[in-house]
Amino acid sequence: LQWPLQNSTAGKDISASAGWDILNSANDIIVAVVDTGIRYTHEDLAANMWRNPDEVPNNNFDDDGNGVIDDVYGINAINGSGNPMDDGDHGTHVAGIIGAVGNNGKGITGVAWNVQLMACKFIASDGFGLTSDAVSAIDYAIDQGADVINASFGGAGYSSALFAAIQRARAAGIIFVAAAGNE
């Protein structure tokens, strides 16, 4: 049912089943989804959500001293809070493709069945986000030790600030992935 993962047309999928026979878990990899947030309560994503090890949930205190209160699953760069709940659906959709729990008989299967998904919200429910908030989200991912940053968003044009943030991520050894279909 997930055509791009495996289908009967040679060369038109990623041969996921063959790959899963070799490895289906990346539980030590943190993938920051810089997008509309992630619905971190979703039954196919909750088990794979990254959890900030230095933050105590729901105590209304910045335990890790990073300037964000209760950032257990990531950051909402729009309002500077620790609640990156998705209100636009795109980030949850992207997170599912990356890392929906696999082989559990529910919903879909992500490319990685077991991975740590960090929610970095900078796009609002209307589909728009500020470049400055995208930069904040990327910097948060860098500071929190992401291994991969997924950036499935477009924009109005070149931004030197965004380019510099991407360069900081690369200098930190982070793989930066951008969607080919976006502007």
Side-chain angles (χ1 to χ4, degrees):
L1 295 176
Q2 291 182 260
W3 193 84
L5 299 182
Q6 181 178 348
N7 62 65
S8 60
T9 307
K12 299 294 183 184
D13 63 28
I14 65 169
S15 302
S17 292
W20 292 331
D21 287 342
I22 299 167
L23 181 67
N24 57 43
S25 178
N27 62 344
D28 59 340
I29 302 297
I30 301 169
V31 179
V33 178
V34 178
D35 209 297
T36 61
I38 299 175
R39 185 161 50 104
Y40 46 81
T41 57
H42 189 286
E43 68 179 353
D44 241 0
L45 299 176
N48 282 348
M49 289 304 300
W50 169 80
R51 286 169 180 79
N52 184 341
D54 299 322
E55 195 68 45
V56 177
N58 303 315
N59 69 352
N60 203 29
F61 187 75
D62 180 15
D63 300 288
D64 60 4
N66 68 355
V68 184
I69 295 171
D70 291 336
D71 56 319
V72 176
Y73 300 113
I75 187 171
N76 180 332
I78 298 167
N79 61 20
S81 79
N83 185 8
M85 181 58 83
D86 191 351
D87 57 3
D89 297 330
H90 190 263
T92 298
H93 172 82
V94 169
I97 292 168
I98 295 167
V101 174
N103 207 28
N104 65 352
K106 297 179 183 178
I108 65 165
T109 296
V111 173
W113 294 1
N114 185 359
V115 66
Q116 297 181 58
L117 299 166
M118 179 190 295
C120 297
K121 178 180 178 64
F122 89 97
I123 301 173
S125 61
D126 63 4
F128 292 96
L130 299 176
T131 302
S132 59
D133 291 340
V135 169
S136 294
I138 291 167
D139 285 339
Y140 178 89
I142 295 167
D143 293 343
Q144 294 299 321
D147 299 293
V148 178
I149 294 174
N150 184 87
S152 181
F153 57 86
Y158 176 79
S159 163
S160 60
L162 185 58
F163 181 77
I166 294 167
Q167 290 297 89
R168 287 192 295 277
R170 291 182 55 164
I174 298 170
I175 298 169
F176 192 92
V177 180
N182 288 341
E183 298 172 16

